[in-house]
Amino acid sequence: MLCTALPEVTDNLESTRRSAAVFLGSFSGRYEATSRRHFVARCTNVGDAHGHGNLNVERGALAAEAWVCALTAFELARRLADEGDPQTGDVLAKLEAVISNFGSLEQRVRRVEISSWDEQKLPAYYVSGGGPDLCTAAVICISGEDETGAMLLGRLLPVIASRSMAALILAFDDISASRHGQSEILSSCLDYLSAHPEVDASRIGIYGEGLSAALATDLALADRRLGAAVCDGGLWNWTRTQASISWITGTSHLSDDHLASAHRMRLARRLKCPALVVAGGRSIVSVVEAIKLESDCAAASIDLKVLMPQLAPVSDGEFENFAAYDEGIFAWLEHKLAPTSAS
C-alpha cells in the first residue's frame, strides 16, 4: 500500500530520503483531496517525531540527523497539501523551527549579509560544509520565483548535510528587486564564498531554480570562477526572443533547423563551465528545446547535460519528485566540483 512508503522514524537520512523518493514515484492522481490530507497529517507526524522526539538527546550528530530527516518529512507534507490548505501554514512554521534547531548546532546554518561593490546588502543563509578546517566545494543556490530563501533552505538542507559541501542560499525576489546588475550581485556572492576560510575557491558552483536558472546562466557567462552551473543554458532568452519575433512578424522566424541550432548554441558556446539544464515540470525550459540543445552541445563537445524531473499527475497539476530530483542535481554538482586530483 502506498502509505507504507512514507518515511518511518528511523533517524536515518538516507533511508528517509529513499522512502520519500519511492512514495512520490508511486504517487497517482487517484489519491485525491481526502487521501492527500491524510498523507499530509501522516508526514507532519513523522516530521514531529524526528524534529521534537530528539530534543532531549545530546546535541550532536544524532540530533542533526534527526532534524534533517524532519525537514524531508515536512517538505513532503508541504508538497502534498492543496493550495490554500490551512495545514500549509502549520507545516511551514514547523520547517522554520527545525531549521532554527539545526542552525544552532555548531553554527551549521546562519543568516549572513552579502555586501556588493556599492554597499548594497543581500540577505542569505550560509550552510557550513562541516568545519573551518575543511577545504570544501560550495554552491550558490537561488530559489524559484514562488519560493522564499527559507523554503529552499528547508528543502535542500537534507541534501547538502549528507555531503561535505557548503552552500549560500538566496531568494529570487531579493536579487530581482535589486536596482543594480544581477550578475554583479551574484559575483559578490562568489567573492564572499571565495574568501571564506572553509571554501575551496576553485570549486564553487551555482544552482538556479525556475526563473533563477536564467540568472545562473548569466553568471556562468560573466564569471570564469564558476566550476559548474545548474542553469537554463540560455534557452529562456532564446524562447522569449523567438516568441517576440514570431508575434511581430506573424511568421516562424527560424524554420531552418540549422539556423535554429546555431541560435540555440550561441550562449551555450560562451558558457565558462559545465552546465546542467533542468527541463519540464516547474522549469522554465521546455523538454523539446533542452533535448535539442543537449544534442547540439554533444556534437560540439560542450559539457552540457539535461535533467528531466519525474512527475506524478494529479487533478490540480502535477507533483515533482523533489527527493530524487534534488539528489540528481547535487550528485552532478558534487561530481563536477570534485577536487582535481580526485577527478
Side-chain angles (χ1 to χ4, degrees), residues 53-112:
N54 294 276
L55 294 180
N56 294 324
V57 303
E58 183 179 353
R59 295 167 67 85
L62 290 177
E65 185 91 349
W67 287 332
V68 290
C69 287
L71 286 172
T72 294
F74 288 139
E75 179 64 21
L76 186 52
R78 185 175 77 85
R79 295 296 180 106
L80 291 171
D82 292 316
E83 187 174 351
D85 191 321
Q87 292 174 294
T88 303
D90 182 47
V91 170
L92 289 175
K94 291 175 184 291
L95 271 169
E96 292 178 359
V98 174
I99 290 170
S100 177
N101 284 333
F102 186 82
S104 65
L105 182 66
E106 300 176 358
Q107 295 297 303
R108 285 294 303 276
V109 180
R110 61 181 182 271
R111 292 178 181 270
V112 298

Side-chain angles (χ1 to χ4, degrees), residues 4 18-19 26 31 34 90 120-121 145 207 225 237 242 286 313:
T4 61
R18 185 168 56 248
S19 295
S26 304
Y31 297 97
T34 302
D90 182 47
Q120 182 181 354
K121 300 293 185 181
E145 62 279 10
Y207 165 32
R225 291 177 294 172
N237 286 332
Q242 290 310 110
S286 79

Side-chain angles (χ1 to χ4, degrees), residues 6-12 16 45-51 53-54 66 69:
L6 284 167
E8 297 298 335
V9 185
T10 62
D11 291 346
N12 180 280
T16 301
N45 289 338
V46 170
D48 286 338
H50 282 304
N54 294 276
C69 287

